[in-house]
Amino acid sequence: MNGNSDSELLSHPYISVLIPVFNEEPNLEELYKRLKQALDLYGKSYELLFIDDGSTDNSYEVLRWLHSSDSKVRAIKFARNFGQQMAIAAGLKYSRGDVVVLIDADLQTMPEEIPKLVDKLLEGYDIVYGIRQRRKDPLLRRIGSWCMSHLLYRITNIEIPDSASGFLALNRTFVDSINLFNEKSKYFSGLFAWLSYGRWGSVPVTHAPRRAGVSKYSIPKLIGLTLNFVCNFTTLPLRFAFYTGGVLATIGGGAFAAILALRLLGILGRLPAVETLGALIILCTGLQIFFIGIVGEYLGRVYVEVKERPPYVVKEVLDAQVSGSHDYAGN
Ligand code: UDP
Ligand code: MG
């Protein structure tokens, strides 16, 4: 450590640890103790930045209490549940450290392994992933994750090393670049992987079952997250409508033209009703899907622009320097 004063170290700590929190009351005290112990031992200055993503239990009261006894604890409270991605977005904007570490609040990954990640980052990486050695999640969840990550890699061509570990370290320059991305619906694992362009480091990390409570990801939330990933990084589904429509219209149009030609050449005595109707239906359906594909390309873009919702709304900030109410909307 250098000879900086406490307030200097607080306003510019070396490490910012970001912790998204959604109804994690039973885990917070233990998490704080382990983070503090590990980071005090590591000897670099740090801040613990908790983002309460609209918890309905007493998580925020615990954070308020931790903040009152330790100014290294900062907390942001969202006005409602905006989702883990938005909590990370807020954390990245509010963080002040040269190194930013992301860790979940449920102690599935070990605070004691933060120094390992940071040391690896100091070898010159923008991003270092904690790769879970033996993932301790329910079997169905692991199978689903495995299938999805392979499928998504095929669709988006973005390879995310252990996307759901939620345990990684980033350097300040990388965080500043990520903060320039103004898209409202964010999928950070994708953004990180996309921006780091394959130049990432990794360290093996231990994974444990959630310490208390249940996963905050329901199936609809997981589907939402997956759609976020796909829609943010590829227009392939829209192109799918485009191509399907194009192929159907060509088949229908071709069949209709062939029937017409056979009739005109006198090979068919009359237009066969069922075949002609079938060809026309396929042609029309194809054209409709094709034009929906075109409209969809524009509509998707217009929709995102027109909504202009703030991606998150902060209700309150617990911070040694800035305190009180803020109406900061993350634009
Ligand atoms: N989380 C959040 N907002 C949400 C869902 C989750 O801030 O809407 C936090 C949660 O408190 C935890 C982290 O994100 O710190 C990962 O959530 P969880 O452990 O439930 O996910 P899983 O391990 O089941 O993938
Ligand atoms: Mg978890």
Side-chain angles (χ1 to χ4, degrees):
M1 279 230 285
N2 53 28
N4 292 355
S5 71
D6 277 2
S7 67
E8 265 176 318
L9 290 178
L10 263 178
S11 59
H12 186 189
Y14 186 70
I15 304 174
S16 294
V17 183
L18 308 189
I19 311 119
V21 172
F22 181 48
N23 293 341
E24 302 283 5
E25 184 187 350
N27 293 320
L28 289 178
E29 208 182 325
E30 170 82 8
L31 172 71
Y32 165 72
K33 275 191 195 145
R34 285 178 57 182
L35 281 168
K36 181 172 163 48
Q37 202 176 29
L39 291 162
D40 283 345
L41 200 68
Y42 192 40
K44 294 192 157 58
S45 60
Y46 66 90
E47 64 177 0
L48 305 177
L49 178 50
F50 292 86
I51 304 97
D52 180 352
D53 182 18
S55 295
T56 48
D57 64 1
N58 286 323
S59 292
Y60 192 66
E61 300 317 312
V62 178
L63 295 177
R64 192 194 291 280
W65 172 69
L66 291 173
H67 170 73
S68 66
S69 62
D70 183 351
S71 54
K72 288 194 179 83
V73 173
R74 300 168 69 208
I76 292 168
K77 181 177 171 57
F78 277 3
R80 48 156 290 152
N81 179 235
F82 286 92
Q84 186 186 1
Q85 298 301 309
M86 286 306 126
I88 295 172
L92 292 175
K93 287 241 160 87
Y94 279 75
S95 67
R96 302 184 279 210
D98 292 336
V99 169
V100 174
V101 173
L102 262 66
I103 190 167
D104 289 351
D106 56 357
L107 286 165
Q108 285 203 267
T109 44
M110 312 295 127
E112 295 75 18
E113 292 187 308
I114 290 178
K116 228 169 42 170
L117 258 71
V118 178
D119 286 343
K120 186 77 184 175
L121 195 77
L122 294 179
E123 287 178 19
Y125 293 102
D126 279 342
I127 177 165
V128 170
Y129 292 93
I131 310 281
R132 295 168 293 186
Q133 290 309 286
R134 276 171 153 260
R135 188 171 167 185
K136 298 280 170 42
D137 282 323
L139 183 67
L140 258 183
R141 177 83 189 270
R142 292 199 313 256
I143 294 173
S145 269
W146 189 88
C147 295
M148 281 325 278
S149 61
H150 281 76
L151 178 71
L152 292 175
Y153 176 53
R154 295 253 164 254
I155 297 176
T156 60
N157 207 22
I158 293 177
E159 188 189 8
I160 305 175
D162 203 7
S163 64
S165 92
F167 190 32
L168 46 94
L170 312 161
N171 72 24
R172 169 52 47 194
T173 323
F174 193 76
V175 171
D176 288 343
S177 310
I178 288 286
N179 284 339
L180 295 177
F181 285 74
N182 266 331
E183 62 203 68
K184 306 280 195 249
S185 76
K186 288 195 165 82
Y187 181 71
F188 280 103
S189 299
L191 265 184
F192 294 156
W194 184 77
L195 198 65
S196 66
Y197 205 60
R199 293 183 302 271
W200 43 266
S202 66
V203 290
V205 296
T206 316
H207 197 238
R210 175 174 255 286
R211 183 181 169 274
V214 289
S215 170
K216 304 302 179 281
Y217 279 96
S218 55
I219 296 212
K221 254 186 169 174
L222 284 172
I223 293 174
L225 200 64
T226 308
L227 283 178
N228 235 354
F229 182 21
V230 174
C231 297
N232 284 3
F233 288 96
T234 177
T235 50
L236 210 70
L238 284 173
R239 298 269 151 74
F240 190 64
F242 200 78
Y243 290 129
T244 312
V247 169
L248 278 181
T250 311
I251 293 173
F256 182 63
I259 293 169
L260 216 58
L262 292 175
R263 173 73 189 95
L264 289 175
L265 292 171
I267 299 170
L268 291 174
R270 58 180 183 84
L271 278 181
V274 175
E275 286 77 2
T276 311
L277 205 63
L280 282 175
I281 288 173
I282 295 174
L283 173 64
C284 292
T285 312
L287 283 177
Q288 280 180 31
I289 297 175
F290 182 73
F291 285 114
I292 287 172
I294 294 179
V295 172
E297 288 268 354
Y298 288 93
L299 194 67
R301 287 160 174 78
V302 171
Y303 175 64
V304 171
E305 295 298 328
V306 155
K307 266 204 308 183
E308 271 204 283
R309 277 191 202 156
Y312 54 84
V313 181
V314 173
K315 205 167 163 185
E316 203 178 316
V317 176
L318 282 186
D319 183 317
Q321 267 80 40
V322 200
S323 213
S325 285
H326 286 250
D327 61 352
Y328 182 81
N331 280 312

